[in-house]
Amino acid sequence: MADDTTVRVRIAPSPTGALHLGLVRTALYNWLFARQHKGRFILRIDDTDPVRNREEMLEPILRGLRWLGIDWDEGPEVGGPHAPYFQSQRTERYRQVVTELLERGAAYYDYATPEEIAEERKAAQAEKRLFLYSRRWMAETKEQAHRFEAEGRKPAVRLKMPREGRLVIDDLVRGRVEFEWQREQDQVIQRADGTFLYHLATVVDDHDFAISHVIRAEEHLSNTPRQVFIFQALGWPVPRFAHLPVVAEPGSRQKLSKRKMEKYLKNPDFAELVERGAKIARAIGLKTSPEVFNPVMVEFYERVGFLPQALVNYLALLGWSLDDRTEFFTREELLRSFSLERVIGAAASFDPKKLMAFQVHYMLELGLDEKVALVLPYLVKAGLVHSPPNPRETELTRKIVEAAGDRIKVAGDIVDYQEFYIEDDRLSYDRAARAEWLGSAQQLKMVALFKERLSQMARFDRQELERLIADISAAEGVKTGELAQTLRVAVTGKAIGFGLADTMAILGRERCLARLSRALETKLT
Ligand code: GLU
């Protein structure tokens, strides 16, 4: 284990416009490791791809990390001693290092065209052997280079990888991993157009930023030999590596991908989550693309009103466990318990149902005022209350949130209770509910009767309301449940919701009366 004070870890996202769950999980493990060791957590931006090199593509990543409380000590917006933390601004440094690799004989100019490489690859495939570049257009002398250039060729720079022996890596998660050098390609590190590739840039940055531990997704394990080769060729200390299992899709071991929505929607829990999101987005007029507004991306959870602590707790367990029993960890507990040694080797499947269970758990821990504060912004966005909400609206919301209990699983679920906010004379009725529960003369008679008795009630509260409903149902010979449904549709416009007495108590007598009148007056279509 490195000396605690020297622990420096990083994540290195490309600015892709959205924060993927897999990346956040990697970020979280890096962050926990850094904080545990009183080290530094660095955010570096791998923006060598010019199409993606745009600020608005980075913003959602920074925002998502902040929302989850994964703060970085060096990087965009906070700066640091090794600035700039953007690869696009470090090309001069990469140029120097490429020159040094060439001088040391660890890299060479290669004048092959892409077609020639493709041909060699094809031939290898046809012969069912591993493709290894023949180095036919490698120029090691000025004369060779001149000859190729005379043909109009432009050089890329490739690593000159060893072709025998093996590399052993002691991975902090996977243990001993062996690679045979003869299976490693001469990776291009600088393209013929002068741009630099990830493998070079990442090693230079990891060295220059004094990264002690590279904790990253498993898909980079196969990249490690050529990166270690660069470190060693330059005489630089090699960081420790820890390759984390992939975050897999629901019910399989394949990597969770934003491009497989159709497949994931066949999973009922995933579909439910998407539906919940769609409902909330519709209600608050949220226009956002499926690229970011789907459960593979963190933005989805923030927008629909998940609690960051629920997501952090869930993600912590997506590839790590303390003892196969303990599920709930506060941030402090995670900081005490997390260790790379207990990161599992196998892919961890994203389970929307389990995530929801964490969300519900953390919602239950909140006080009423905290929940009200969480839901109010959704009501503002839906145009159901003023901005800022007035005391009457806040009080109404308090009552609704209290009565709803654990029905409000994410903050945005408050939009299920729109009917309370709509002005009484503008209440609309669900067509099917109205046909079923307000369609007959008998049902309307019940509404009228109830209305009359309600206006005469001495005390207006839940118990009295319950008594009144029971009285009428006994006297008129209708089932209590049926009478309640009729009245529910009359005062809320819908056949679903929490207890009728609760609903009416929240609305208050005047609003109930106004709504009962409206139900009686509105012509049935
Ligand atoms: N930009 C790379 C990625 O997001 C970084 C990989 C690494 O951590 O070395 O996959």
Short mmCIF file of all heavy atoms in Angstrom, two decimals, residues 55-114:
data_model
loop_
_atom_site.label_atom_id
_atom_site.label_comp_id
_atom_site.label_asym_id
_atom_site.label_seq_id
_atom_site.Cartn_x
_atom_site.Cartn_y
_atom_site.Cartn_z
N GLU A 55 -17.97 22.46 -24.15
CA GLU A 55 -18.26 22.66 -22.74
C GLU A 55 -19.60 22.07 -22.32
O GLU A 55 -19.73 21.51 -21.25
CB GLU A 55 -18.24 24.16 -22.45
CG GLU A 55 -17.64 24.47 -21.12
CD GLU A 55 -17.44 25.96 -20.98
OE1 GLU A 55 -16.55 26.53 -21.65
OE2 GLU A 55 -18.21 26.55 -20.22
N GLU A 56 -20.61 22.23 -23.20
CA GLU A 56 -21.92 21.74 -22.77
C GLU A 56 -21.96 20.21 -22.69
O GLU A 56 -22.87 19.65 -22.10
CB GLU A 56 -23.04 22.28 -23.67
CG GLU A 56 -23.11 21.67 -25.04
CD GLU A 56 -22.52 22.59 -26.10
OE1 GLU A 56 -21.59 23.35 -25.76
OE2 GLU A 56 -22.99 22.55 -27.25
N MET A 57 -20.95 19.57 -23.28
CA MET A 57 -20.89 18.12 -23.17
C MET A 57 -20.25 17.70 -21.84
O MET A 57 -20.35 16.55 -21.42
CB MET A 57 -20.08 17.52 -24.34
CG MET A 57 -20.66 17.81 -25.69
SD MET A 57 -22.33 17.13 -25.84
CE MET A 57 -21.96 15.71 -26.84
N LEU A 58 -19.57 18.62 -21.23
CA LEU A 58 -18.89 18.34 -19.97
C LEU A 58 -19.81 18.66 -18.78
O LEU A 58 -19.81 17.97 -17.76
CB LEU A 58 -17.61 19.17 -19.88
CG LEU A 58 -16.83 19.07 -18.57
CD1 LEU A 58 -16.39 17.63 -18.32
CD2 LEU A 58 -15.61 19.98 -18.61
N GLU A 59 -20.58 19.70 -18.97
CA GLU A 59 -21.39 20.23 -17.86
C GLU A 59 -22.23 19.17 -17.14
O GLU A 59 -22.22 19.10 -15.91
CB GLU A 59 -22.26 21.39 -18.39
CG GLU A 59 -22.76 22.33 -17.34
CD GLU A 59 -24.05 21.86 -16.71
OE1 GLU A 59 -24.81 21.10 -17.37
OE2 GLU A 59 -24.29 22.24 -15.56
N PRO A 60 -22.96 18.30 -17.88
CA PRO A 60 -23.77 17.29 -17.18
C PRO A 60 -22.94 16.35 -16.31
O PRO A 60 -23.43 15.84 -15.30
CB PRO A 60 -24.44 16.51 -18.32
CG PRO A 60 -24.34 17.38 -19.52
CD PRO A 60 -23.11 18.21 -19.35
N ILE A 61 -21.71 16.14 -16.70
CA ILE A 61 -20.85 15.24 -15.92
C ILE A 61 -20.47 15.91 -14.60
O ILE A 61 -20.58 15.32 -13.53
CB ILE A 61 -19.60 14.85 -16.75
CG1 ILE A 61 -20.06 14.03 -17.97
CG2 ILE A 61 -18.58 14.10 -15.91
CD1 ILE A 61 -18.98 13.70 -18.96
N LEU A 62 -20.08 17.17 -14.68
CA LEU A 62 -19.71 17.91 -13.46
C LEU A 62 -20.92 18.03 -12.55
O LEU A 62 -20.84 17.83 -11.33
CB LEU A 62 -19.20 19.31 -13.82
CG LEU A 62 -18.01 19.38 -14.80
CD1 LEU A 62 -17.52 20.82 -14.92
CD2 LEU A 62 -16.87 18.47 -14.37
N ARG A 63 -22.04 18.35 -13.15
CA ARG A 63 -23.27 18.55 -12.39
C ARG A 63 -23.69 17.26 -11.67
O ARG A 63 -24.06 17.28 -10.50
CB ARG A 63 -24.35 19.00 -13.37
CG ARG A 63 -25.72 19.13 -12.82
CD ARG A 63 -26.67 19.39 -13.99
NE ARG A 63 -28.01 19.03 -13.60
CZ ARG A 63 -29.02 19.87 -13.57
NH1 ARG A 63 -28.85 21.11 -13.97
NH2 ARG A 63 -30.21 19.48 -13.18
N GLY A 64 -23.62 16.15 -12.37
CA GLY A 64 -24.01 14.87 -11.79
C GLY A 64 -23.11 14.49 -10.62
O GLY A 64 -23.57 14.05 -9.57
N LEU A 65 -21.81 14.69 -10.80
CA LEU A 65 -20.88 14.35 -9.72
C LEU A 65 -21.14 15.22 -8.49
O LEU A 65 -21.18 14.74 -7.36
CB LEU A 65 -19.43 14.54 -10.19
CG LEU A 65 -18.93 13.53 -11.23
CD1 LEU A 65 -17.56 13.94 -11.75
CD2 LEU A 65 -18.86 12.12 -10.64
N ARG A 66 -21.38 16.50 -8.75
CA ARG A 66 -21.65 17.41 -7.63
C ARG A 66 -22.92 17.01 -6.91
O ARG A 66 -22.99 17.02 -5.69
CB ARG A 66 -21.81 18.84 -8.16
CG ARG A 66 -20.50 19.45 -8.54
CD ARG A 66 -20.42 20.92 -8.11
NE ARG A 66 -19.06 21.37 -8.28
CZ ARG A 66 -18.60 21.92 -9.40
NH1 ARG A 66 -19.42 22.12 -10.42
NH2 ARG A 66 -17.34 22.29 -9.49
N TRP A 67 -23.94 16.69 -7.70
CA TRP A 67 -25.22 16.31 -7.11
C TRP A 67 -25.04 15.12 -6.16
O TRP A 67 -25.65 15.05 -5.10
CB TRP A 67 -26.22 15.97 -8.22
CG TRP A 67 -27.54 15.52 -7.70
CD1 TRP A 67 -28.43 16.23 -6.94
CD2 TRP A 67 -28.13 14.22 -7.89
NE1 TRP A 67 -29.52 15.46 -6.65
CE2 TRP A 67 -29.37 14.23 -7.21
CE3 TRP A 67 -27.73 13.06 -8.56
CZ2 TRP A 67 -30.22 13.12 -7.19
CZ3 TRP A 67 -28.58 11.96 -8.54
CH2 TRP A 67 -29.79 11.99 -7.87
N LEU A 68 -24.17 14.21 -6.54
CA LEU A 68 -23.94 13.02 -5.72
C LEU A 68 -22.93 13.26 -4.60
O LEU A 68 -22.65 12.37 -3.81
CB LEU A 68 -23.47 11.86 -6.61
CG LEU A 68 -24.54 11.35 -7.57
CD1 LEU A 68 -23.92 10.42 -8.60
CD2 LEU A 68 -25.65 10.64 -6.83
N GLY A 69 -22.39 14.46 -4.54
CA GLY A 69 -21.44 14.78 -3.48
C GLY A 69 -20.07 14.18 -3.71
O GLY A 69 -19.29 13.98 -2.78
N ILE A 70 -19.78 13.85 -4.98
CA ILE A 70 -18.45 13.32 -5.30
C ILE A 70 -17.59 14.51 -5.75
O ILE A 70 -17.57 14.86 -6.92
CB ILE A 70 -18.56 12.25 -6.41
CG1 ILE A 70 -19.50 11.12 -5.93
CG2 ILE A 70 -17.18 11.71 -6.77
CD1 ILE A 70 -19.76 10.04 -6.97
N ASP A 71 -16.94 15.13 -4.80
CA ASP A 71 -16.21 16.36 -5.11
C ASP A 71 -14.76 16.03 -5.48
O ASP A 71 -14.20 15.05 -5.02
CB ASP A 71 -16.26 17.34 -3.93
CG ASP A 71 -15.74 16.72 -2.66
OD1 ASP A 71 -15.76 15.47 -2.55
OD2 ASP A 71 -15.28 17.45 -1.77
N TRP A 72 -14.21 16.84 -6.34
CA TRP A 72 -12.84 16.59 -6.80
C TRP A 72 -11.92 17.70 -6.31
O TRP A 72 -12.33 18.85 -6.14
CB TRP A 72 -12.79 16.43 -8.32
CG TRP A 72 -13.38 17.54 -9.13
CD1 TRP A 72 -12.71 18.55 -9.74
CD2 TRP A 72 -14.77 17.76 -9.44
NE1 TRP A 72 -13.59 19.38 -10.42
CE2 TRP A 72 -14.85 18.92 -10.25
CE3 TRP A 72 -15.96 17.09 -9.11
CZ2 TRP A 72 -16.07 19.43 -10.73
CZ3 TRP A 72 -17.16 17.59 -9.58
CH2 TRP A 72 -17.21 18.75 -10.38
N ASP A 73 -10.67 17.32 -6.06
CA ASP A 73 -9.70 18.26 -5.48
C ASP A 73 -8.95 19.04 -6.54
O ASP A 73 -8.44 20.12 -6.28
CB ASP A 73 -8.71 17.50 -4.61
CG ASP A 73 -9.42 16.66 -3.57
OD1 ASP A 73 -10.23 17.23 -2.82
OD2 ASP A 73 -9.19 15.44 -3.52
N GLU A 74 -8.82 18.42 -7.71
CA GLU A 74 -8.14 19.10 -8.81
C GLU A 74 -8.92 18.78 -10.07
O GLU A 74 -9.42 17.67 -10.21
CB GLU A 74 -6.69 18.57 -8.97
CG GLU A 74 -5.82 18.84 -7.76
CD GLU A 74 -4.44 18.14 -7.87
OE1 GLU A 74 -3.97 17.93 -9.00
OE2 GLU A 74 -3.87 17.82 -6.82
N GLY A 75 -8.98 19.74 -10.97
CA GLY A 75 -9.69 19.49 -12.22
C GLY A 75 -10.47 20.71 -12.66
O GLY A 75 -10.25 21.81 -12.16
N PRO A 76 -11.41 20.50 -13.59
CA PRO A 76 -12.18 21.61 -14.13
C PRO A 76 -12.85 22.40 -13.01
O PRO A 76 -13.30 21.82 -12.02
CB PRO A 76 -13.26 20.92 -14.98
CG PRO A 76 -12.73 19.58 -15.28
CD PRO A 76 -11.82 19.20 -14.16
N GLU A 77 -12.89 23.68 -13.17
CA GLU A 77 -13.55 24.62 -12.26
C GLU A 77 -12.83 24.81 -10.93
O GLU A 77 -12.96 25.84 -10.31
CB GLU A 77 -15.03 24.25 -12.03
CG GLU A 77 -15.82 24.41 -13.31
CD GLU A 77 -17.30 24.07 -13.19
OE1 GLU A 77 -17.74 23.69 -12.10
OE2 GLU A 77 -18.00 24.22 -14.21
N VAL A 78 -12.08 23.80 -10.47
CA VAL A 78 -11.36 24.01 -9.21
C VAL A 78 -9.87 24.22 -9.44
O VAL A 78 -9.16 24.69 -8.56
CB VAL A 78 -11.59 22.85 -8.19
CG1 VAL A 78 -13.06 22.68 -7.87
CG2 VAL A 78 -11.01 21.55 -8.69
N GLY A 79 -9.39 23.88 -10.63
CA GLY A 79 -7.97 24.08 -10.94
C GLY A 79 -7.08 23.12 -10.17
O GLY A 79 -7.53 22.04 -9.77
N GLY A 80 -5.86 23.53 -9.91
CA GLY A 80 -4.93 22.67 -9.19
C GLY A 80 -3.52 22.86 -9.71
O GLY A 80 -3.30 23.51 -10.73
N PRO A 81 -2.55 22.28 -9.00
CA PRO A 81 -1.14 22.52 -9.33
C PRO A 81 -0.71 21.96 -10.68
O PRO A 81 0.33 22.34 -11.20
CB PRO A 81 -0.39 21.82 -8.19
CG PRO A 81 -1.36 20.84 -7.61
CD PRO A 81 -2.71 21.43 -7.81
N HIS A 82 -1.51 21.05 -11.25
CA HIS A 82 -1.09 20.45 -12.53
C HIS A 82 -1.92 20.94 -13.71
O HIS A 82 -1.92 20.33 -14.76
CB HIS A 82 -1.16 18.93 -12.44
CG HIS A 82 -0.32 18.35 -11.36
ND1 HIS A 82 1.04 18.20 -11.47
CD2 HIS A 82 -0.64 17.92 -10.10
CE1 HIS A 82 1.52 17.68 -10.35
NE2 HIS A 82 0.52 17.51 -9.51
N ALA A 83 -2.65 22.02 -13.52
CA ALA A 83 -3.52 22.52 -14.58
C ALA A 83 -2.72 22.77 -15.86
O ALA A 83 -1.53 23.08 -15.77
CB ALA A 83 -4.20 23.81 -14.12
N PRO A 84 -3.28 22.63 -17.05
CA PRO A 84 -4.70 22.32 -17.29
C PRO A 84 -5.00 20.82 -17.15
O PRO A 84 -4.13 19.99 -17.40
CB PRO A 84 -4.88 22.74 -18.75
CG PRO A 84 -3.54 22.58 -19.38
CD PRO A 84 -2.54 22.88 -18.30
N TYR A 85 -6.25 20.52 -16.79
CA TYR A 85 -6.67 19.14 -16.63
C TYR A 85 -7.44 18.62 -17.84
O TYR A 85 -8.13 17.63 -17.77
CB TYR A 85 -7.50 19.00 -15.34
CG TYR A 85 -6.63 19.22 -14.12
CD1 TYR A 85 -6.43 20.50 -13.60
CD2 TYR A 85 -5.95 18.16 -13.52
CE1 TYR A 85 -5.61 20.71 -12.51
CE2 TYR A 85 -5.12 18.36 -12.43
CZ TYR A 85 -4.95 19.64 -11.92
OH TYR A 85 -4.12 19.83 -10.85
N PHE A 86 -7.31 19.35 -18.92
CA PHE A 86 -7.98 18.97 -20.17
C PHE A 86 -6.92 18.47 -21.15
O PHE A 86 -5.95 19.18 -21.43
CB PHE A 86 -8.68 20.19 -20.79
CG PHE A 86 -9.85 20.67 -19.99
CD1 PHE A 86 -9.67 21.52 -18.91
CD2 PHE A 86 -11.13 20.26 -20.32
CE1 PHE A 86 -10.75 21.95 -18.16
CE2 PHE A 86 -12.22 20.69 -19.58
CZ PHE A 86 -12.03 21.55 -18.50
N GLN A 87 -7.12 17.29 -21.68
CA GLN A 87 -6.12 16.75 -22.60
C GLN A 87 -5.95 17.62 -23.83
O GLN A 87 -4.86 17.73 -24.37
CB GLN A 87 -6.48 15.31 -22.99
CG GLN A 87 -6.30 14.36 -21.82
CD GLN A 87 -6.34 12.90 -22.22
OE1 GLN A 87 -6.98 12.55 -23.20
NE2 GLN A 87 -5.67 12.07 -21.46
N SER A 88 -7.04 18.24 -24.25
CA SER A 88 -6.94 19.07 -25.46
C SER A 88 -5.97 20.22 -25.27
O SER A 88 -5.48 20.81 -26.23
CB SER A 88 -8.33 19.60 -25.84
OG SER A 88 -8.84 20.39 -24.79
N GLN A 89 -5.66 20.56 -24.02
CA GLN A 89 -4.74 21.68 -23.79
C GLN A 89 -3.33 21.22 -23.45
O GLN A 89 -2.49 22.00 -23.02
CB GLN A 89 -5.30 22.54 -22.64
CG GLN A 89 -6.61 23.20 -22.99
CD GLN A 89 -7.28 23.83 -21.79
OE1 GLN A 89 -6.62 24.28 -20.86
NE2 GLN A 89 -8.61 23.87 -21.79
N ARG A 90 -3.08 19.95 -23.63
CA ARG A 90 -1.79 19.42 -23.20
C ARG A 90 -0.98 18.85 -24.35
O ARG A 90 -0.02 18.09 -24.15
CB ARG A 90 -2.00 18.37 -22.11
CG ARG A 90 -2.64 18.97 -20.84
CD ARG A 90 -2.92 17.96 -19.77
NE ARG A 90 -1.88 16.97 -19.60
CZ ARG A 90 -0.74 17.17 -18.93
NH1 ARG A 90 -0.51 18.32 -18.36
NH2 ARG A 90 0.15 16.21 -18.84
N THR A 91 -1.36 19.21 -25.57
CA THR A 91 -0.74 18.56 -26.73
C THR A 91 0.76 18.83 -26.82
O THR A 91 1.51 17.97 -27.27
CB THR A 91 -1.40 19.00 -28.04
OG1 THR A 91 -1.49 20.41 -28.03
CG2 THR A 91 -2.77 18.41 -28.19
N GLU A 92 1.22 19.98 -26.38
CA GLU A 92 2.66 20.28 -26.44
C GLU A 92 3.45 19.25 -25.64
O GLU A 92 4.48 18.76 -26.06
CB GLU A 92 2.91 21.70 -25.90
CG GLU A 92 3.79 22.57 -26.73
CD GLU A 92 4.17 21.99 -28.10
OE1 GLU A 92 3.39 22.09 -29.09
OE2 GLU A 92 5.29 21.42 -28.16
N ARG A 93 2.89 18.95 -24.49
CA ARG A 93 3.53 17.97 -23.61
C ARG A 93 3.56 16.58 -24.27
O ARG A 93 4.54 15.86 -24.20
CB ARG A 93 2.78 17.94 -22.28
CG ARG A 93 3.24 16.91 -21.30
CD ARG A 93 4.61 17.21 -20.73
NE ARG A 93 4.98 16.18 -19.76
CZ ARG A 93 6.16 15.59 -19.70
NH1 ARG A 93 7.13 15.95 -20.52
NH2 ARG A 93 6.40 14.67 -18.79
N TYR A 94 2.45 16.23 -24.94
CA TYR A 94 2.40 14.92 -25.59
C TYR A 94 3.44 14.84 -26.71
O TYR A 94 4.08 13.82 -26.92
CB TYR A 94 0.99 14.62 -26.15
CG TYR A 94 -0.11 14.69 -25.11
CD1 TYR A 94 -1.38 15.17 -25.43
CD2 TYR A 94 0.13 14.28 -23.81
CE1 TYR A 94 -2.38 15.24 -24.46
CE2 TYR A 94 -0.86 14.35 -22.83
CZ TYR A 94 -2.12 14.84 -23.17
OH TYR A 94 -3.09 14.92 -22.22
N ARG A 95 3.60 15.96 -27.39
CA ARG A 95 4.58 16.01 -28.49
C ARG A 95 5.98 15.71 -27.94
O ARG A 95 6.72 14.90 -28.49
CB ARG A 95 4.53 17.40 -29.14
CG ARG A 95 5.07 17.44 -30.57
CD ARG A 95 4.95 18.83 -31.20
NE ARG A 95 3.68 19.49 -30.96
CZ ARG A 95 2.55 19.24 -31.62
NH1 ARG A 95 2.54 18.33 -32.57
NH2 ARG A 95 1.45 19.88 -31.33
N GLN A 96 6.30 16.38 -26.83
CA GLN A 96 7.63 16.15 -26.21
C GLN A 96 7.84 14.69 -25.89
O GLN A 96 8.90 14.13 -26.11
CB GLN A 96 7.70 16.85 -24.84
CG GLN A 96 7.99 18.31 -24.83
CD GLN A 96 7.77 18.85 -23.39
OE1 GLN A 96 7.60 18.11 -22.42
NE2 GLN A 96 7.79 20.17 -23.30
N VAL A 97 6.79 14.07 -25.31
CA VAL A 97 6.94 12.68 -24.86
C VAL A 97 7.06 11.74 -26.05
O VAL A 97 7.85 10.79 -26.02
CB VAL A 97 5.78 12.28 -23.92
CG1 VAL A 97 5.87 10.80 -23.55
CG2 VAL A 97 5.80 13.14 -22.66
N VAL A 98 6.33 12.03 -27.12
CA VAL A 98 6.46 11.19 -28.32
C VAL A 98 7.89 11.27 -28.84
O VAL A 98 8.51 10.25 -29.18
CB VAL A 98 5.44 11.61 -29.40
CG1 VAL A 98 5.77 10.95 -30.73
CG2 VAL A 98 4.03 11.23 -28.97
N THR A 99 8.44 12.46 -28.86
CA THR A 99 9.82 12.64 -29.31
C THR A 99 10.76 11.79 -28.45
O THR A 99 11.65 11.10 -28.95
CB THR A 99 10.23 14.13 -29.23
OG1 THR A 99 9.24 14.87 -29.93
CG2 THR A 99 11.59 14.38 -29.82
N GLU A 100 10.52 11.83 -27.15
CA GLU A 100 11.38 11.08 -26.26
C GLU A 100 11.27 9.57 -26.50
O GLU A 100 12.26 8.85 -26.51
CB GLU A 100 11.04 11.42 -24.81
CG GLU A 100 12.11 10.91 -23.89
CD GLU A 100 12.03 11.48 -22.48
OE1 GLU A 100 11.38 12.52 -22.29
OE2 GLU A 100 12.64 10.85 -21.59
N LEU A 101 10.05 9.11 -26.73
CA LEU A 101 9.85 7.67 -26.99
C LEU A 101 10.57 7.27 -28.28
O LEU A 101 11.17 6.20 -28.36
CB LEU A 101 8.36 7.35 -27.08
CG LEU A 101 7.59 7.30 -25.75
CD1 LEU A 101 6.08 7.29 -25.98
CD2 LEU A 101 8.00 6.07 -24.92
N LEU A 102 10.50 8.16 -29.27
CA LEU A 102 11.19 7.88 -30.54
C LEU A 102 12.70 7.80 -30.30
O LEU A 102 13.37 6.87 -30.75
CB LEU A 102 10.87 8.97 -31.56
CG LEU A 102 9.46 8.94 -32.18
CD1 LEU A 102 9.12 10.27 -32.85
CD2 LEU A 102 9.36 7.80 -33.20
N GLU A 103 13.20 8.77 -29.54
CA GLU A 103 14.65 8.80 -29.28
C GLU A 103 15.12 7.57 -28.52
O GLU A 103 16.21 7.07 -28.72
CB GLU A 103 15.01 10.05 -28.48
CG GLU A 103 15.07 11.29 -29.36
CD GLU A 103 15.12 12.58 -28.53
OE1 GLU A 103 15.27 12.51 -27.29
OE2 GLU A 103 15.01 13.65 -29.15
N ARG A 104 14.26 7.08 -27.66
CA ARG A 104 14.64 5.91 -26.86
C ARG A 104 14.41 4.60 -27.60
O ARG A 104 14.63 3.52 -27.04
CB ARG A 104 13.83 5.88 -25.56
CG ARG A 104 14.25 6.95 -24.59
CD ARG A 104 13.35 6.96 -23.36
NE ARG A 104 13.79 7.98 -22.43
CZ ARG A 104 14.14 7.73 -21.16
NH1 ARG A 104 14.12 6.52 -20.69
NH2 ARG A 104 14.54 8.71 -20.37
N GLY A 105 13.91 4.69 -28.81
CA GLY A 105 13.67 3.46 -29.59
C GLY A 105 12.44 2.70 -29.14
O GLY A 105 12.24 1.55 -29.50
N ALA A 106 11.59 3.35 -28.33
CA ALA A 106 10.38 2.68 -27.85
C ALA A 106 9.20 2.94 -28.77
O ALA A 106 8.11 2.41 -28.57
CB ALA A 106 10.06 3.15 -26.44
N ALA A 107 9.42 3.80 -29.76
CA ALA A 107 8.36 4.09 -30.73
C ALA A 107 9.03 4.32 -32.07
O ALA A 107 10.23 4.55 -32.15
CB ALA A 107 7.58 5.33 -30.29
N TYR A 108 8.25 4.22 -33.13
CA TYR A 108 8.83 4.43 -34.46
C TYR A 108 7.83 5.12 -35.38
O TYR A 108 6.62 5.08 -35.14
CB TYR A 108 9.29 3.10 -35.08
CG TYR A 108 8.18 2.07 -35.26
CD1 TYR A 108 7.41 2.04 -36.42
CD2 TYR A 108 7.92 1.11 -34.27
CE1 TYR A 108 6.41 1.08 -36.59
CE2 TYR A 108 6.93 0.16 -34.44
CZ TYR A 108 6.17 0.15 -35.60
OH TYR A 108 5.18 -0.78 -35.76
N TYR A 109 8.39 5.75 -36.43
CA TYR A 109 7.53 6.31 -37.46
C TYR A 109 7.06 5.18 -38.35
O TYR A 109 7.86 4.34 -38.76
CB TYR A 109 8.30 7.33 -38.31
CG TYR A 109 8.52 8.65 -37.60
CD1 TYR A 109 9.81 9.05 -37.22
CD2 TYR A 109 7.44 9.48 -37.33
CE1 TYR A 109 10.01 10.27 -36.58
CE2 TYR A 109 7.64 10.70 -36.69
CZ TYR A 109 8.92 11.09 -36.32
OH TYR A 109 9.09 12.28 -35.68
N ASP A 110 5.79 5.19 -38.61
CA ASP A 110 5.24 4.14 -39.47
C ASP A 110 4.54 4.79 -40.65
O ASP A 110 3.65 5.62 -40.45
CB ASP A 110 4.26 3.28 -38.67
CG ASP A 110 3.61 2.24 -39.57
OD1 ASP A 110 4.35 1.61 -40.35
OD2 ASP A 110 2.38 2.09 -39.51
N TYR A 111 4.94 4.38 -41.84
CA TYR A 111 4.42 5.02 -43.05
C TYR A 111 3.33 4.20 -43.74
O TYR A 111 2.93 4.51 -44.87
CB TYR A 111 5.56 5.32 -44.03
CG TYR A 111 6.41 6.49 -43.59
CD1 TYR A 111 7.44 6.32 -42.67
CD2 TYR A 111 6.16 7.77 -44.07
CE1 TYR A 111 8.21 7.40 -42.25
CE2 TYR A 111 6.92 8.86 -43.66
CZ TYR A 111 7.95 8.67 -42.74
OH TYR A 111 8.69 9.73 -42.33
N ALA A 112 2.84 3.20 -43.07
CA ALA A 112 1.79 2.37 -43.69
C ALA A 112 0.52 3.18 -43.86
O ALA A 112 0.21 4.05 -43.04
CB ALA A 112 1.51 1.16 -42.82
N THR A 113 -0.22 2.88 -44.91
CA THR A 113 -1.54 3.51 -45.07
C THR A 113 -2.55 2.64 -44.34
O THR A 113 -2.30 1.45 -44.09
CB THR A 113 -1.94 3.57 -46.56
OG1 THR A 113 -2.05 2.21 -47.03
CG2 THR A 113 -0.93 4.33 -47.39
N PRO A 114 -3.69 3.20 -44.00
CA PRO A 114 -4.72 2.38 -43.32
C PRO A 114 -5.10 1.16 -44.16
O PRO A 114 -5.38 0.09 -43.61
CB PRO A 114 -5.91 3.34 -43.21
CG PRO A 114 -5.32 4.72 -43.28
CD PRO A 114 -4.09 4.60 -44.13
#
